[in-house]
Amino acid sequence: MHGDERSDDWYWLRERDDPQVLAYLEAENAYTQAMTRHLEPLRERLFEEFKARIQETDESPPVLHGGHWYYSRTVEGLEYAIHCRRTGHLDAPEQVLLDENAMAQGHDYFDLRALEPSPDHSVIAYGVNFDGSDNTDIRFRDLLRHEDLPDVIPSVTENVVWASDNRTVFYAARDAALRPHQIWRHRLGDPLEGAELVYQEDDERFGVSVERTKSGRFVVVTSASALTTECHVVEASDPLGPLRLVEARQEGLRYFVDHHGEHLVIVTNADGAVNHKLVRAPVATPGRAHWRDVVAHREDARLHHVEVFRDWLVLAEQARAVPRLRVMRAADGEIHDLEVPEDVSSTTFGPNPEFDRSILRFEYESMVTPESIFDYDMETRTAVLVKQAPVLGGFDPTRYRTERQWATAPDGTKVPMSLVYRADLPRDGSAPAVLYGYGSYEISIDPYFSHFALSLLDRGFVYAVAHVRGGGEMGRRWYESGKFLHKGNTFTDFIACAEHLCANGYTSPQRLVAMGGSAGGLLVGAAVNLRPELFRGMVALVPFVDVVTTMLDETIPLTTGEFEEWGNPSDPEYYAYMKSYSVYDNVEAKEYPAMLVTTGLNDTRVAFWEPAKWVAKLRATKLGDQPVLLKTEMGAGHGGPSGRYNEWRERAFYYAFILDLVGLAD
């Protein structure tokens, strides 16, 4: 069943290869360019501001892996990174592994999506994409001869894993709907036609992935939907061996596997552990009957992931919209928190490829503290700052303030917001503000530092992130209360956050701009449908706005797997509920704020025609003369243009739009 073409005047825009559709998009781009031509000087100023703050020639902290120090670096004037290593010690000669700039030559778009060294570090598997779609070509480079091998695995996912023999790789292939549905095994040097199918997932709600345990012992194949998982393992030293089932799928049971000693360590929601707990089971008998608790379930903290070391297990948790790490000694189970200086902040894993180390690399940042990379000695509990992202131009963090505010939703739920603003901000409602949100798939938008946002803050803006239901910031129940037939909470939470900012003097409706991307575009679009008078403007980046049409069409990539996020509209109850909030279906003849909407012609996650149709319907339906602009990247996909300078110019484009709305374009 498809969307009803007869009642949709803009259904024809979905014909991607129709010259009329392409001409339409080009005409929209020309219109947007004409309507924003007066902002060209401002866009250039913003771009130069971004450049002036960012150290263009820079280098990531080296990471020890297999006797090599891996790092990447950027060079002023070049769009892409250069990936390198030094062998044995940090003063050894540099070996360039991949130069993205050379690889991108002759292409309008380039994205490096994987870089996986073989266990003996003689070959790297890497993934490339040249059009912005989700398809990736996996290639292999011999690092001794510094030349690519003839093996190329085309149009798969970026997920590639090595077996212990340094020759066998496992990779995930997609079906016609772009769902990762098969795991294949290929031996370098053999014809690709001889690759062997290892696992196939026939349930269209599930997607498959493959990874290697950090210990190196197992390759793990995981089949997962939004609600249920099932894992198989195979010895990495016997890649031709059979897969062994860990625990058969049971509707609603989620579990994720790693390896430690004689046990598998498993993060799971079994036995009512809504926020997940940590269990272990013997390698020989890994089924649920043998699971034993290691870290118990907690109502006040969501356990997301465990980083496994020989003598340590490090827990990544989320509590009250703050990600944090806790360190557990494997021998006796003693746990201590990794202390950080600011409450409203983010602490996450850095790269930790070595199993036999007691040094944890972690990354810390807040909305006023740039990303800071630490090496933490888990035995002595001491941290050494390895590098803090430079902010050029005299950045002084004491000039800014960050804080947590709690808005009250219509049902009484307290909704957290993370705020940053200049220390001298007037609290009289006169300040402009951007309110950003996402609110789907249990994804958390954690407090983060932005070199770019300083251009707004220094012009007097408040920058706020609304941690609405449907995201993962407040635990699994927070997510569940913002999906399916509770999705409306996501939108009313965002509105409550906007009202809170206005009521408490941070801004006013005449100065407030909503911003979100993808499912966050659905969020801000639905909020503006409900309360257009609450916002001066909106920026919707690759927004998912035509929910009903997309979810009714199972031929569209990824639709069927989304049933466990949004519901199946074949069910009349879900159809009616989706129709009640679908942004496109709820455009009305009323005044809307000014809008900038972006999309990508090659977007395989949110088809370009969703934003295009929405803009067309808004123009034909709305009242008032506020502009509604559509900007289409004709050679890119969901992530926008490639290359760092191109990305900075894109951000300058919509920042200039925002500044113009609040009278700060001069």
Side-chain angles (χ1 to χ4, degrees):
M1 183 165 60
H2 296 261
D4 189 348
E5 301 175 46
R6 294 168 298 178
S7 60
D8 188 347
D9 291 338
W10 294 277
Y11 193 86
W12 63 276
L13 280 171
R14 57 189 285 138
E15 300 300 327
R16 184 185 184 279
D17 297 323
D18 186 333
Q20 286 186 300
V21 172
L22 297 177
Y24 177 91
L25 297 175
E26 294 284 14
E28 284 282 5
N29 279 348
Y31 175 72
T32 295
Q33 197 62 43
M35 291 290 288
T36 60
R37 186 164 291 121
H38 65 290
L39 298 177
E40 287 179 0
L42 175 59
R43 292 199 293 262
E44 193 60 33
R45 286 203 303 276
L46 288 167
F47 176 73
E48 291 300 328
E49 287 177 20
F50 300 162
K51 284 180 62 179
R53 288 193 202 102
I54 296 171
Q55 188 163 299
E56 296 176 71
T57 298
D58 203 359
E59 188 173 299
S60 68
V63 175
L64 181 63
H65 190 194
H68 306 271
W69 293 93
Y70 287 86
Y71 60 98
S72 61
R73 56 184 176 84
T74 54
V75 176
E76 183 175 351
L78 298 183
E79 289 277 7
Y80 300 99
I82 302 167
H83 303 274
C84 312
R85 73 180 182 189
R86 300 179 191 271
T87 299
H89 53 86
L90 290 171
D91 295 327
E94 176 181 88
Q95 180 185 7
V96 174
L97 309 179
L98 295 173
D99 183 346
E100 294 186 38
N101 301 283
M103 299 162 73
Q105 285 184 3
H107 300 281
D108 293 331
Y109 183 95
F110 175 79
D111 190 10
L112 180 71
R113 294 181 172 171
L115 201 164
E116 297 290 340
S118 60
D120 67 358
H121 297 262
S122 65
V123 180
I124 52 171
Y126 67 95
V128 292
N129 172 271
F130 297 102
D131 64 5
S133 71
D134 281 354
N135 284 326
T136 301
D137 294 345
I138 302 296
R139 301 178 182 180
F140 301 88
R141 179 158 296 184
D142 184 323
L143 298 180
L144 303 179
R145 292 193 289 269
H146 198 70
E147 62 184 23
D148 279 1
L149 301 176
D151 306 74
V152 177
I153 306 172
S155 298
V156 291
T157 78
E158 64 269 29
N159 189 195
V160 58
V161 169
W162 290 92
S164 299
D165 62 2
N166 303 295
R167 184 179 173 190
T168 304
V169 293
F170 296 83
Y171 63 92
R174 301 181 187 275
D175 63 13
L178 298 185
R179 174 180 66 99
H181 74 304
Q182 294 174 332
I183 301 298
W184 290 78
R185 179 172 51 214
H186 169 66
R187 286 170 61 85
L188 295 186
D190 291 352
L192 189 60
E193 297 76 25
E196 297 174 275
L197 179 63
V198 174
Y199 182 85
Q200 178 164 311
E201 178 54 69
D202 293 323
D203 189 327
E204 294 181 349
R205 298 173 301 161
F206 287 73
V208 295
S209 61
V210 61
E211 61 184 334
R212 182 169 166 147
T213 60
K214 189 166 165 185
S215 67
R217 178 170 173 182
F218 292 105
V219 172
V220 182
V221 173
T222 301
S223 187
S225 73
L227 302 176
T228 305
T229 63
E230 180 180 75
C231 297
H232 294 76
V233 297
V234 61
E235 297 273 355
S237 60
D238 183 22
L240 303 183
L243 293 181
R244 287 201 299 129
L245 177 66
V246 176
E247 174 66 20
R249 74 184 61 180
Q250 302 164 41
E251 194 72 21
L253 175 66
R254 293 163 53 84
Y255 69 95
F256 305 92
V257 172
D258 209 322
H259 167 248
H260 187 264
E262 294 307 310
H263 294 88
L264 297 182
V265 290
I266 301 168
V267 175
T268 180
N269 69 344
D271 309 313
V274 176
N275 279 333
H276 294 63
K277 62 179 179 177
L278 182 66
V279 303
R280 70 178 187 180
V283 165
T285 55
R288 185 174 175 181
H290 302 281
W291 293 2
R292 300 293 179 264
D293 285 8
V294 176
V295 177
H297 171 258
R298 295 172 56 191
E299 280 290 341
D300 64 339
R302 166 76 158 94
L303 176 61
H304 283 286
H305 178 65
V306 174
E307 188 77 51
V308 179
F309 297 84
R310 184 189 61 200
D311 298 324
W312 307 89
L313 302 175
V314 185
L315 316 175
E317 298 181 346
Q318 187 101 11
R320 291 181 65 81
V322 174
R324 63 186 185 182
L325 302 180
R326 304 175 73 214
V327 179
M328 183 176 79
R329 189 190 308 273
D332 57 15
E334 180 191 10
I335 296 177
H336 68 270
D337 292 345
L338 201 158
E339 301 292 340
V340 296
E342 299 168 284
D343 291 334
V344 185
S345 60
S346 299
T347 310
T348 56
F349 292 123
N352 289 281
E354 292 287 284
F355 181 74
D356 292 325
R357 285 188 32 107
S358 61
I359 303 297
L360 168 73
R361 177 157 291 184
F362 72 90
E363 299 175 1
Y364 171 83
E365 64 185 313
S366 76
M367 298 182 90
V368 298
T369 302
E371 181 186 62
S372 307
I373 299 172
F374 290 87
D375 279 346
Y376 179 73
D377 188 317
M378 293 181 278
E379 188 66 56
T380 64
R381 303 188 185 184
T382 55
V384 175
L385 178 64
V386 177
K387 179 169 184 172
Q388 185 173 80
V391 185
L392 308 181
F395 170 71
D396 178 0
T398 65
R399 295 183 58 221
Y400 307 91
R401 297 285 182 269
T402 185
E403 63 171 303
R404 172 63 45 79
Q405 286 284 311
W406 298 82
T408 303
D411 63 359
T413 299
K414 298 295 184 181
V415 182
M417 278 187 291
S418 298
L419 275 62
V420 63
Y421 49 84
R422 215 166 59 187
D424 59 357
L425 180 86
R427 289 283 295 276
D428 58 5
S430 64
V434 169
L435 179 61
Y436 182 88
Y438 188 78
S440 292
Y441 304 108
E442 203 183 1
I443 290 173
S444 299
I445 306 298
D446 301 318
Y448 59 93
F449 183 84
S450 171
H451 288 72
F452 310 107
L454 292 174
S455 287
L456 298 179
L457 302 183
D458 288 345
R459 288 172 170 85
F461 270 76
V462 175
Y463 191 92
V465 177
H467 305 294
V468 297
R469 280 175 282 186
E473 290 92 340
M474 297 280 284
R476 183 74 179 182
R477 296 187 200 278
W478 192 253
Y479 163 58
E480 292 173 346
S481 63
K483 65 180 294 192
F484 287 149
L485 300 175
H486 306 292
K487 190 63 197 172
N489 288 331
T490 305
F491 316 132
T492 52
D493 283 359
F494 191 81
I495 289 169
C497 290
E499 291 176 329
H500 183 93
L501 291 176
C502 296
N504 288 274
Y506 290 98
T507 189
S508 66
Q510 297 76 31
R511 310 280 281 165
L512 177 60
V513 178
M515 185 163 69
S518 196
L522 165 65
L523 167 65
V524 296
V528 167
N529 268 350
L530 292 168
R531 292 288 303 280
E533 79 286 354
L534 193 52
F535 303 95
R536 177 68 184 88
M538 179 181 68
V539 175
L541 308 170
V542 293
F544 176 44
V545 287
D546 194 7
V547 179
V548 174
T549 303
T550 293
M551 295 305 296
L552 280 172
D553 189 349
E554 296 181 25
T555 68
I556 294 174
L558 310 180
T559 289
T560 304
E562 299 280 284
F563 287 163
E564 291 191 354
E565 178 72 22
W566 313 100
N568 189 338
S570 296
D571 180 328
E573 183 180 20
Y574 278 97
Y575 176 87
Y577 192 74
M578 285 184 198
K579 196 73 176 284
S580 74
Y581 68 75
S582 176
V583 179
Y584 180 72
D585 293 294
N586 287 280
V587 172
E588 296 177 335
K590 58 188 178 186
E591 290 200 16
Y592 283 83
M595 300 184 191
L596 173 62
V597 181
T598 72
T599 187
L601 185 63
N602 299 329
D603 194 336
T604 48
R605 300 191 186 186
V606 177
F608 74 91
W609 46 260
E610 290 199 38
K613 286 172 54 181
W614 180 38
V615 166
K617 188 173 184 179
L618 277 164
R619 290 230 195 89
T621 308
K622 75 178 186 71
L623 306 179
D625 58 0
Q626 293 296 331
V628 178
L629 306 179
L630 177 66
K631 185 175 186 289
T632 302
E633 289 292 332
M634 302 301 287
H638 200 62
S642 69
R644 55 177 179 160
Y645 295 112
N646 289 331
E647 193 275 329
W648 300 354
R649 289 196 179 278
E650 178 76 359
R651 189 178 296 265
F653 190 94
Y654 58 79
Y655 272 23
F657 177 82
I658 292 169
L659 290 167
D660 192 35
L661 290 182
V662 298
L664 294 175
D666 295 331

